[in-house]
Amino acid sequence: MTWSEIGSTGVGLGNGSSNDSWGDSVPVGERAFLGFVGVVMALVGGIGNGIVVILVCRSAAMRSAINLLLAAMALSDTVILLLLLPLDLITLAGGGWLLPSPMCSAHAFMLSVMQIQGVAALSVICVDRYIIIVRQQEVLTPCITCCIIAISWVVSLAVSLPPLVGLGVYTSLPLPPGLTHCEWRPRESRPPGDLVFVSFTFLVIYLLPVLVMSFSFAGILLKIRQNSAKIHSSESRRDSSCAGVIPSAQGDAANPSCARRPLVTVDLRYKTQTLTTVIILSVVFFLWRSPLHLSQLAHAFSSHLDVNYKAYPWLLWCAYVPPAVNPVIYTARIKKFRNAVVDIFPCLLNLLPCTSSTIQRLSNPGAIYMIHHPRREST
């Protein structure tokens, strides 16, 4: 199926298919507010995720397994915010799709690829935390991580490609009121193949990642709770066995086990520090991406062709929130990332607190210091 066939055979959705009804569907004030929020998300999220990719690429010390996965997720978020979101902003401001028809279908294809790639990287991070904390094994290496990222790109392209070869159709141009880009839908007769594909896409892009994240976090929290209970029980038994023992040299020699404090030393805060960041990223993904995916699934299985897209810009903007917020979470939670940002971008020193150990040692880099030689004065 060619690009022109995709644009001509698409199912027209909504009561009106002309761009003149956009003003009735999305008022000017609503479009202005969404446009302002979209510009802020594109600038903050696009620049922030771009910085994450640059930091990981240029610094060998930053190329750990989890940082490579974060960089892969940041790359997909950068494409979404700097390439795809501006096209939606143009459609929102112009009251309809103003660009060529192939770009409308390409927008839907690229958005699907980048969403699958980003959520795949986040799911692998959750599984990696589960293996490290619960199984107490470190499986991921930078080489294995690069292979996983390459496989995720292949899977993303394979899942997003069938609509371009005739499995289902895209909405026809001009778009229905409220829709900001072409969206894949089953054909009007709703053949079983189209419904199976939309169910499989929903499983890959949303349901399976949510299940993987939920299982991983449930196992991790259960393991942390068991470790905390073991530590408390060991300390209580040790305190009862050492009751009445004087902490002196004679007491230490009499009961050497009481001389070593504490008996068990486990830094749970260090182990759960990265986990907390991953949990925040996953919760943000789940809360802000759910409305769009659930509504798309409901529209695909709806037997009515009259679908109201008045709320679609709000649902789409909610789906753009996680890519825009992720670099803010990195900056707030990862000290290494803050230090690298300050080191590479000294102009931010006037805006951010000086957290880099390298810069803290330079009290006044522009000062000229004179060396005093006592021997020369004595002679």
Side-chain angles (χ1 to χ4, degrees):
M1 180 175 289
T2 61
W3 291 107
S4 60
E5 292 174 346
I6 292 174
S8 61
T9 61
V11 181
L13 304 174
N15 289 328
S17 60
S18 64
N19 294 337
D20 297 336
S21 57
W22 256 82
D24 299 334
S25 177
V26 186
V28 178
E30 183 177 339
R31 276 187 273 174
F33 176 77
L34 290 175
F36 173 76
V37 175
V39 171
V40 172
M41 289 192 300
L43 292 177
V44 175
I47 296 175
N49 286 294
I51 291 175
V52 174
V53 177
I54 293 174
L55 290 177
V56 176
C57 291
R58 67 175 296 175
S59 176
M62 297 283 290
R63 294 173 196 160
S64 61
I66 188 171
N67 286 341
L68 289 174
L69 291 171
L70 290 177
M73 187 168 61
L75 178 60
S76 61
D77 293 343
T78 303
V79 175
I80 290 175
L81 294 174
L82 294 184
L83 185 61
L84 302 181
L85 178 56
L87 299 181
D88 287 320
L89 287 172
I90 294 174
T91 305
L92 189 69
W97 189 263
L98 306 178
L99 302 174
S101 175
M103 293 188 64
C104 189
S105 301
H107 184 287
F109 172 73
M110 289 297 297
L111 184 61
S112 176
V113 172
M114 295 304 162
Q115 285 180 342
I116 296 175
Q117 167 61 25
V119 74
L122 184 59
S123 302
V124 173
I125 292 174
C126 297
V127 174
D128 176 61
R129 296 298 98 182
Y130 174 83
I131 295 175
I132 290 177
I133 297 177
V134 178
R135 301 297 181 181
Q136 297 182 355
Q137 297 176 355
E138 202 163 348
V139 178
L140 283 185
T141 61
C143 182
I144 296 177
T145 303
C146 293
C147 295
I148 292 176
I149 293 173
I151 294 173
S152 66
W153 276 105
V154 174
V155 173
S156 302
L157 293 172
V159 173
S160 304
L161 190 61
L164 298 181
V165 295
L167 188 58
V169 293
Y170 285 105
T171 50
S172 59
L173 294 178
L175 294 175
L179 200 61
T180 58
H181 62 265
C182 292
E183 187 182 43
W184 183 90
R185 285 184 58 85
R187 283 164 284 187
E188 187 176 357
S189 59
R190 280 178 171 75
D194 290 3
L195 297 180
V196 170
F197 175 76
V198 71
S199 302
F200 177 74
T201 304
F202 178 78
L203 176 68
V204 172
I205 201 173
Y206 178 77
L207 186 58
L208 185 60
V210 170
L211 293 177
V212 170
M213 296 175 194
S214 302
F215 175 79
S216 301
F217 294 145
I220 290 172
L221 295 178
L222 181 61
K223 182 66 174 180
I224 293 176
R225 184 176 180 181
Q226 293 175 353
N227 291 342
S228 300
K230 290 180 182 179
I231 293 172
H232 290 307
S233 61
S234 300
E235 290 180 349
S236 60
R237 289 197 303 267
R238 183 178 178 279
D239 293 339
S240 61
S241 62
C242 297
V245 178
I246 301 175
S248 59
Q250 291 83 2
D252 295 344
N255 194 352
S257 62
C258 298
R260 292 174 295 194
R261 283 188 180 273
L263 182 62
V264 180
T265 304
V266 179
D267 192 355
L268 292 178
R269 182 177 178 272
Y270 174 76
K271 285 189 174 183
T272 58
Q273 185 176 9
T274 307
L275 174 64
T276 306
T277 305
V278 178
I279 291 177
I280 294 174
L281 294 173
S282 304
V283 170
V284 170
F285 161 81
F286 175 75
L287 292 179
W288 292 97
R289 292 274 291 273
S290 298
L292 178 64
H293 295 308
L294 294 177
S295 66
Q296 289 176 341
L297 184 67
H299 288 173
F301 280 91
S302 176
S303 58
H304 303 286
L305 294 179
D306 184 12
V307 179
N308 191 355
Y309 282 103
K310 290 183 179 180
Y312 185 83
W314 293 92
L315 300 179
L316 183 63
W317 258 235
C318 289
Y320 282 139
V321 168
V325 173
N326 285 346
V328 180
I329 298 175
Y330 302 151
T331 306
R333 295 289 310 172
I334 304 176
K335 184 179 179 181
K336 197 174 186 180
F337 175 69
R338 290 199 305 268
N339 294 345
V341 170
V342 174
D343 287 339
I344 295 180
F345 302 98
C347 60
L348 298 178
L349 287 176
N350 297 327
L351 302 177
L352 299 177
C354 185
T355 56
S356 174
S357 57
T358 305
I359 297 178
Q360 285 178 352
R361 291 194 298 264
L362 300 177
S363 58
N364 189 3
I368 300 176
Y369 297 93
M370 299 181 63
I371 302 176
H372 181 66
H373 298 278
R375 292 184 177 179
R376 294 183 180 178
E377 290 186 355
S378 60
T379 56

